Amino acid sequence: MIVTIVGARPNFMKAAPIHAAFRAAGVQHEIVHTGQHYDQAMSKVFFDDLGMPRPIVDLGVGSGTHAEQTAAVMIGIERFFTENRPRAVLVVGDVNSTMAAAIVAAKMGTFCAHVEAGLRSGDWSMPEEVNRVVTDSIVDLLLTPSKDADENLLAEGCARETIVRVGNVMIDTLLRHLPMASALAIPGRMGLAAKQYAVLTLHRPSNVDDPVVLSRILGAIAEVAKELPVVFPVHPRTRNQAASGGLQLERTAGLMPMDPLGYLEFLSLMSQARLVLTDSGGLQEESTVLGIPCLTLRENTERPITITDGTNVLVGTDPTLIVREARRALQHKTATHRVPELWDGHASERVVSAVLKRLR
Ligand code: UD1
């Protein structure tokens, strides 16, 4: 058995095409869910939307401090590996579950591949940067989405033969589901006209955990919302932090806060947006492929190709800059971009052939 570990929301759209590609190659492949994310809207809806089978196990680790969450995943994964002896393990992305599972695989001598290896923000205050660097330093096979990732790994001393550039598996999922998502016509159902609204997501601890920072960002968004409606599916972390900081999202004119959306609903919404404002990694990539201007509300990105090739602009969290760049993006009719090499809908097939080649 080969297994792919998932834990948090951005993992699900990466694991789905990998699972399908292993099954298409006639390989027994199973999904192991750590349970880092557990709400219906943060987890189960993605399995349904993406046509993924139920995970072979859900470890149910839930929320906690970094140490608690990482340790709980390690204990659960070690037990699962001991009982099931997988031939190979794939970890995806950069969440705590990714790193925790990679550490267990390394210590048990189980072959482990990292999908989305080599991305670096250079920002050690991001928990994901720690997860990326630790994971890449201990896995057997580094499957990268882009040339900059290969270069980062080589600069860190990784052996060239352990690096295989496969492209972006999340884009496999996007291209496969776009027709189905578009058919849902979510903007129309929300009373929005195509290209006449913006979509906002925020969940990075550095942006949402401090009420002063969060309210400064929301102040800038309120300005943008004077130009066009801003749809805001709110991550549970952000919802909790806004509530404890006394911020009332519903009170901002033009801002449309709502519960998190499923994969297809969100893709339907984003694909017709005029502008995306986000601190997510995945949305920088998805907007690049969709050709939608993206303002990233962070000081750095581990995905520089979305700036050099795509539609992404780093604006940070200075309200003046956010408003200025939003106005600038709204003035231009189209964003010039090209889709990065190998973001072509076939990355998961390359993942499977790279893994099987190494196992032979
Ligand atoms: C995690 C990942 C982050 C990823 C994000 C996507 C790490 C370090 N962070 O951040 O890289 O971009 O997922 O969403 O792994 N919560 C719920 N229900 C859920 C999940 C979370 O209510 O199903 C709330 C809880 O209050 C929890 C908080 O959100 O404490 C944060 O969840 P956690 O998994 O710790 O981190 P995320 O902020 O979601």
Side-chain angles (χ1 to χ4, degrees):
M1 181 203 312
I2 294 180
V3 297
T4 295
I5 314 296
V6 298
R9 185 169 63 176
N11 293 160
F12 306 133
M13 37 289 219
K14 296 168 191 167
I18 295 173
H19 178 77
F22 271 118
R23 289 285 173 102
V27 176
Q28 191 201 350
H29 177 270
E30 303 290 348
I31 303 282
V32 171
H33 195 338
T34 68
Q36 177 174 342
H37 283 176
Y38 43 88
D39 283 356
Q40 160 83 16
M42 296 297 287
S43 176
K44 184 168 180 305
V45 66
F46 291 87
F47 281 79
D48 298 342
D49 279 3
L50 301 171
M52 260 199 297
R54 284 164 57 90
I56 187 169
V57 65
D58 185 337
L59 303 174
V61 303
S63 304
T65 66
H66 284 273
E68 287 165 351
Q69 202 172 52
T70 306
V73 174
M74 288 180 67
I75 293 167
I77 290 282
E78 184 179 62
R79 194 168 296 141
F80 177 84
F81 286 2
T82 304
E83 285 165 7
N84 295 277
R85 295 278 154 202
R87 220 174 124 212
V89 178
L90 281 80
V91 295
V92 298
D94 56 15
V95 303
N96 285 345
S97 299
T98 309
M99 177 187 72
I103 293 175
V104 175
K107 296 221 169 170
M108 292 182 77
T110 308
F111 177 90
C112 186
H114 182 206
V115 178
E116 203 184 270
L119 298 185
R120 297 289 182 268
S121 66
D123 177 356
W124 286 97
S125 69
M126 271 182 97
E128 293 81 3
E129 186 72 356
V130 179
N131 295 341
R132 292 180 199 115
V133 172
V134 172
T135 302
D136 287 344
S137 68
I138 53 177
V139 298
D140 303 286
L141 182 59
L142 296 152
L143 301 170
T144 65
S146 48
K147 186 160 173 268
D148 54 291
D150 299 10
E151 287 163 1
N152 291 334
L153 294 169
L154 290 170
E156 286 173 16
C158 297
R160 190 173 288 276
E161 58 276 14
T162 61
I163 305 169
V164 180
R165 198 184 316 158
V166 292
N168 192 326
V169 289
M170 205 180 54
I171 302 307
D172 293 9
T173 299
L174 184 148
L175 296 176
R176 209 162 290 173
H177 290 84
L178 191 53
M180 224 189 301
S182 301
L184 289 179
I186 293 298
R189 291 206 223 166
M190 290 181 177
L192 299 161
K195 300 292 168 195
Q196 290 180 29
Y197 60 92
V199 174
L200 168 71
T201 79
L202 280 177
H203 74 285
R204 294 270 158 232
S206 59
N207 281 345
V208 307
D209 285 3
D210 179 345
V212 176
V213 175
L214 181 56
S215 75
R216 265 162 51 96
I217 295 175
L218 291 173
I221 300 299
E223 283 302 305
V224 178
K226 288 180 184 162
E227 317 257 337
L228 79 180
V230 179
V231 188
F232 184 23
V234 188
H235 187 285
R237 177 184 204 108
T238 312
R239 176 76 71 187
N240 295 342
Q241 296 296 343
S244 54
L247 302 173
Q248 297 187 328
L249 304 175
E250 275 73 16
R251 288 268 174 92
T252 307
L255 187 66
M256 296 171 61
M258 60 186 64
D259 288 338
L261 298 174
Y263 182 76
L264 293 172
E265 288 179 320
F266 189 81
L267 181 55
S268 176
L269 182 70
M270 177 170 57
S271 65
Q272 293 299 320
R274 180 74 186 79
L275 179 65
V276 170
L277 301 115
T278 190
D279 60 9
S280 144
L283 261 59
Q284 296 171 46
E285 301 181 334
E286 290 168 339
S287 54
T288 273
V289 170
L290 293 167
I292 295 169
C294 174
L295 301 186
T296 295
L297 309 180
R298 287 174 44 191
E299 306 299 336
N300 49 56
T301 179
E302 60 290 335
R303 292 161 162 91
I305 199 166
T306 60
I307 298 176
T308 53
D309 291 28
T311 56
N312 189 19
V313 179
L314 270 188
V315 293
T317 56
D318 176 342
T320 319
L321 266 181
I322 296 173
V323 175
R324 195 183 73 200
E325 289 300 324
R327 291 203 175 116
R328 194 195 302 254
L330 293 175
Q331 273 159 16
H332 295 296
K333 275 263 169 296
T334 50
T336 47
H337 76 292
R338 60 171 182 255
V339 174
E341 198 192 340
L342 301 181
W343 293 22
D344 58 357
H346 298 286
S348 45
E349 294 149 36
R350 291 187 285 269
V351 166
V352 167
S353 53
V355 170
L356 296 181
K357 191 169 159 206
R358 284 295 302 274
L359 291 179
R360 250 180 248 129

